[in-house]
Amino acid sequence: RVRYRKKVFANVEDTKSTKGIVKYDDPDVERVRRAHLNDLENIPAFWLLGALYLTTGPSAELATLLFRVFTAGRIIHTIVYAIKPLPQPARAIAYGIPYLINWFMGVRIISHYINAL
């Protein structure tokens, strides 16, 4: 959306229909791109850890809470990073809570399977 709104593209073929320009360093486009990359670095890890965490037999209430808080944190992180940038520590908190949830699930997975040996 930001690329089309600003008519700033990374590929020449995308500029033809919109009469845009090729530009690689637009700050607004780069901010959204970095937010997307951050999601791509964190959400697949959550999917894997979440699936493995469910194999440890956690309480349904705790698993539901962790999944909901992680999802809310990632949504808030995207908002404060790409949509409505806020000063730190807003983004750090929105990033840190889901990050800690991933660590918590990872430690629980490891401890569960080590104790099962």
Side-chain angles (χ1 to χ4, degrees), residues 31-104:
R31 177 175 285 278
V32 172
R33 188 183 66 77
R34 287 190 308 270
H36 286 208
L37 286 174
N38 191 280
D39 285 341
L40 288 172
E41 292 166 355
N42 289 281
I43 294 172
F46 170 73
W47 291 339
L48 179 63
L49 288 169
L52 290 172
Y53 180 67
L54 291 176
T55 67
T56 67
S59 72
E61 295 83 14
L62 179 59
T64 301
L65 177 67
L66 291 173
F67 292 2
R68 286 178 178 169
V69 171
F70 181 91
T71 302
R74 291 307 306 176
I75 291 169
I76 292 168
H77 181 266
T78 298
I79 290 169
V80 300
Y81 195 170
I83 298 171
K84 179 70 174 142
L86 294 177
Q88 289 288 18
R91 191 173 82 221
I93 293 168
Y95 174 83
I97 292 171
Y99 182 77
L100 291 174
I101 289 171
N102 275 350
W103 271 100
F104 173 79

Side-chain angles (χ1 to χ4, degrees), residues 21-39:
I21 61 169
V22 174
K23 187 175 180 185
Y24 301 109
D25 60 351
D26 183 83
D28 296 328
V29 172
E30 285 301 305
R31 177 175 285 278
V32 172
R33 188 183 66 77
R34 287 190 308 270
H36 286 208
L37 286 174
N38 191 280
D39 285 341

